[in-house]
Amino acid sequence: MRNAVLLLSIWLLAGCAARVNFNETAPGEFSGRLHVVWVGSGEDPGEDLSGDGRFIYIPEPSRELTFRRPDGVVIQPEPFYTDGGSVPRIATVVPGLSPWGYGPAYIIHDWIFIAKNCLTDNDETELERAVEGMDFDDSVEIMAEAIQALMQQDLVSAARADAAQIITDAVSTNISRRLWEQPGRCEEHRRVLDDPVLSSAYRAVPGLARLSSDPGAVPGVLVSTIDFGSIAEARNAFQASRTDR
């Protein structure tokens, strides 16, 4: 009962502007590898570092994390900072509502916001251009499609559809809509690509140290590697990544 009340409270606080029915959403498909590296707790005063600090998604050349939507549109993130799902700590007692409870889906959802911001600022890369033509409602549907994909690949339990619906509702808020449409945010992401800490992140991933521009960089901490080319291995890695630290 307490969990049911909490779920309802989270949904009400979300203040949803539009609702996508999670159970009626078709699944997309994940492929490639996902690497997430912890690179510390940040140094800038006032920096928003939700969860346990700064994390970077690192793509692996020729095995980049890729999400294919049901309509065939392909989304492939570049390196960027992420905190997983920005889930309030009080909500993490609910199964599935931890910051990394649906990690790959959060990565894809965060990335399309960055891509949209860079398109708004006329500073997009080729990979970011895949978001061109999408609207805010598409971003909500993509979150649902990505979680459905994780369920279809048996990486999360289909019994957690209630939590998945709440997450889908939470990303449909007017607050999220304003972030989707907000100009002037691409420069912040571009600094990530030039940040020396990126070298530390690459050095943390076995086989990717060659991509580091600073061979003397202290490696970050590899939090998770999920290989969607091997579902059995992906399931084990994903379950390990979802353990609250």
Side-chain angles (χ1 to χ4, degrees):
M1 174 61 78
R2 291 179 62 187
N3 279 357
V5 171
L6 180 57
L7 289 173
L8 178 60
S9 298
I10 295 170
W11 186 82
L12 290 174
L13 288 172
C16 297
R19 199 163 195 254
V20 170
N21 189 322
F22 175 79
N23 289 320
E24 295 180 359
T25 303
E29 181 181 4
F30 282 102
S31 60
R33 285 185 176 178
L34 179 151
H35 299 292
V36 177
V37 177
W38 182 75
V39 289
S41 55
E43 300 176 355
D44 299 331
E47 187 175 8
D48 179 13
L49 297 172
S50 304
D52 299 316
R54 296 175 95 184
F55 298 85
I56 295 183
Y57 158 73
I58 297 294
E60 180 173 337
S62 77
R63 293 181 177 179
E64 296 89 347
L65 176 69
T66 302
F67 180 70
R68 183 180 296 275
R69 299 192 66 190
D71 63 4
V73 171
V74 173
I75 300 170
Q76 191 178 94
E78 295 173 317
F80 72 100
Y81 284 123
T82 177
D83 62 357
S86 301
V87 179
R89 286 197 179 276
I90 190 175
T92 60
V93 299
V94 180
L97 291 186
S98 70
W100 299 99
Y102 298 97
Y106 296 152
I107 293 291
I108 295 299
H109 184 263
D110 283 357
W111 168 251
I112 62 175
F113 268 70
I114 288 172
K116 171 61 175 178
N117 292 155
C118 289
L119 280 162
T120 298
D121 293 345
N122 295 312
D123 190 24
E124 75 278 5
T125 65
E126 182 177 351
L127 290 177
E128 290 166 347
R129 203 166 289 129
V131 176
E132 194 168 21
M134 292 184 188
D135 59 22
F136 177 73
D137 290 343
D138 286 315
S139 76
V140 180
E141 291 178 2
I142 286 170
M143 175 64 91
E145 293 165 359
I147 296 177
Q148 285 281 16
L150 294 175
M151 289 183 174
Q152 186 177 68
Q153 291 175 283
D154 200 26
L155 294 176
V156 297
S157 172
R160 293 181 177 174
D162 286 345
Q165 180 65 67
I166 289 171
I167 293 168
T168 304
D169 287 342
V171 299
S172 71
T173 65
N174 288 325
I175 294 174
S176 294
R177 185 182 296 274
R178 286 194 292 272
L179 291 174
W180 176 261
E181 298 171 347
Q182 186 175 342
R185 301 189 65 191
C186 189
E187 182 182 356
E188 177 183 351
H189 169 60
R190 291 290 175 258
R191 287 201 299 269
V192 173
L193 298 181
D194 297 331
D195 196 323
V197 79
L198 192 58
S199 287
S200 296
Y202 275 121
R203 292 187 65 78
V205 182
L208 297 189
R210 68 186 187 281
L211 300 177
S212 172
S213 61
D214 180 3
V218 177
V221 178
L222 182 62
V223 174
S224 178
T225 291
I226 300 173
D227 187 348
F228 286 94
S230 172
I231 294 301
E233 291 181 11
R235 186 178 300 114
N236 291 336
F238 187 59
Q239 291 300 326
S241 73
R242 294 174 62 243
T243 302
D244 291 337
R245 296 179 312 282

